Amino acid sequence: MDATAVIETAGLTKRYRGGQLAVDGLDLVVPRGSVFGFLGPNGSGKTTTIRMLMGLIEPTSGVARVLGEPMPRAVGRVLPRVGALIEGPALYGFLSGHDNLVRFDAADPTADPRTRAARIGAALERVGLTAAAGKKARAYSLGMKQRLGLAAALLRPRELLVLDEPTNGLDPQGMREIRALVRELAEDGTTVFLSSHLLDEIEQVCTHVAVMAQGRLLTQGTVRELAASVTGRLAVGTPDTAEAVRVLKEHGVNDLTVRGERVTGELPGTGDLAELNAALVRAGVRVRAFGAERVSLEDAFVALTGEGFDVAG
């Protein structure tokens, strides 16, 4: 096992009664200090994996270690060091947001009651709920409930924060605020394990990523490594698309597509892009834009799986 890993699994498997294989032989390594994106379509096994990591369900086979401890055996030692928001927060609807946090904090045997009020105030402020702290939780929107769940996870400093779809129900502004909060926490030294089906969310905030599909791990590594594993595309802006296609094809550019006044194709494995540009100009093609497109996490996911999924929410 890797001593620097905050989460590590080996052959982690969960098969439910009836034979459904939810997680299949998962080998995962989450480095300390990372913002780790756990990415996959709904139903890919992400939440089942998180529930095993947090000791909420037993694996059928395999091993999971969190903060160096075996789970679920060491759940009593591990969970006080972990903040988690899984499948939405379980709130008391009849209590205010503030009083929900009082209940959560009082249930933590390691929490100091003398600093409770200050810690609750700071957590509410951090997630932008100070003004709504006195409202009953049942009157909260889904986005506000997500924020309150995050506040509960942040009542005390945590070595690891586990967030399962934390921006569910949030408007674009709320999503930006949560992303900023995740970055702040990472800068403070908290490792963040963030499960999402939103590719752009992962790409904007994460340093590392693992991709799940149908219960299996497809790949893991840094976001940069994953994007670098996919060949980029050449993009040319021109009103002379037919002639551009002819010239590019002659110079070894394959998989050419035309959309409006934009021609794209696979970047050739060899050859100078400047020479390609010069060849277009020599042929009389009016080149208005030319360059290699940035490879996105979506491109990498599609290359891995042959399919896409919800990239914007």
Side-chain angles (χ1 to χ4, degrees):
M1 288 289 195
D2 186 343
T4 65
V6 169
I7 294 172
E8 188 170 11
T9 71
L12 193 66
T13 299
K14 182 63 180 178
R15 188 184 292 276
Y16 287 109
R17 284 178 193 166
Q20 181 203 348
L21 192 59
V23 177
D24 185 7
L26 180 64
D27 296 333
L28 192 67
V29 179
V30 177
R32 185 173 294 277
S34 62
V35 180
F36 194 99
F38 197 38
L39 180 62
N42 290 329
S44 60
K46 302 188 308 295
T47 296
T48 299
T49 298
I50 289 173
R51 289 169 67 81
M52 287 191 283
L53 293 174
M54 295 294 95
L56 298 172
I57 56 174
E58 292 251 6
T60 306
S61 60
V63 177
R65 296 183 76 85
V66 177
L67 299 174
E69 300 268 17
M71 293 293 280
R73 198 162 71 243
V75 69
R77 292 192 299 275
V78 169
L79 290 191
R81 301 157 65 193
V82 177
L85 177 58
I86 304 170
E87 293 185 318
L91 304 174
Y92 297 98
F94 62 92
L95 291 178
S96 68
H98 176 276
D99 289 348
N100 265 279
L101 294 187
V102 170
R103 285 283 182 98
F104 286 129
D105 197 67
D108 182 349
T110 63
D112 185 347
R114 293 170 298 181
T115 58
R116 182 169 294 151
R119 285 185 289 105
I120 287 172
L124 286 166
E125 185 174 350
R126 199 158 201 186
V127 300
L129 278 182
T130 303
K135 277 177 71 172
K136 294 276 195 291
R138 71 165 71 95
Y140 277 19
S141 67
L142 180 57
M144 291 168 73
K145 287 175 180 174
Q146 287 291 97
R147 290 168 186 268
L148 190 60
L150 267 174
L154 297 172
L155 282 169
R156 303 185 60 216
R158 310 288 184 176
E159 289 177 56
L160 171 65
L161 187 61
V162 177
L163 305 176
D164 186 17
E165 303 282 1
T167 58
N168 265 359
L170 296 180
D171 59 20
Q173 176 62 27
M175 292 172 79
R176 281 192 293 273
E177 289 169 2
I178 296 302
R179 284 196 290 262
L181 176 58
V182 166
R183 290 189 198 102
E184 280 176 28
L185 291 165
E187 286 167 9
D188 291 345
T190 302
T191 303
V192 182
F193 184 81
L194 170 66
S195 159
S196 181
H197 68 287
L198 302 178
L199 284 148
D200 60 342
E201 179 171 80
I202 295 286
E203 188 162 24
Q204 288 182 55
V205 78
C206 293
T207 58
H208 295 69
V209 66
V211 179
M212 292 279 289
Q214 298 180 327
R216 296 186 68 86
L217 180 70
L218 298 182
T219 190
Q220 64 183 318
T222 67
V223 171
R224 188 174 297 167
E225 285 167 351
L226 185 56
S229 70
V230 180
T231 305
R233 288 180 69 80
L234 176 69
V236 180
T238 175
D240 309 314
T241 53
E243 183 66 6
V245 166
R246 184 189 68 77
V247 173
L248 292 171
K249 195 174 287 184
E250 283 179 0
H251 285 76
V253 179
N254 298 315
D255 190 25
L256 287 157
T257 60
V258 178
R259 287 185 183 171
E261 294 191 347
R262 178 180 169 84
V263 180
T264 63
E266 281 184 10
L267 281 170
T270 58
D272 185 355
L273 287 186
E275 176 53 36
L276 266 181
N277 194 15
L280 289 166
V281 173
R282 282 197 303 270
V285 175
R286 291 167 288 175
V287 178
R288 293 175 176 169
F290 182 93
E293 291 183 321
R294 186 181 70 87
V295 176
S296 70
L297 204 53
E298 181 185 359
D299 298 325
F301 182 85
V302 172
L304 275 167
T305 66
E307 59 179 303
F309 56 92
D310 191 348
V311 295

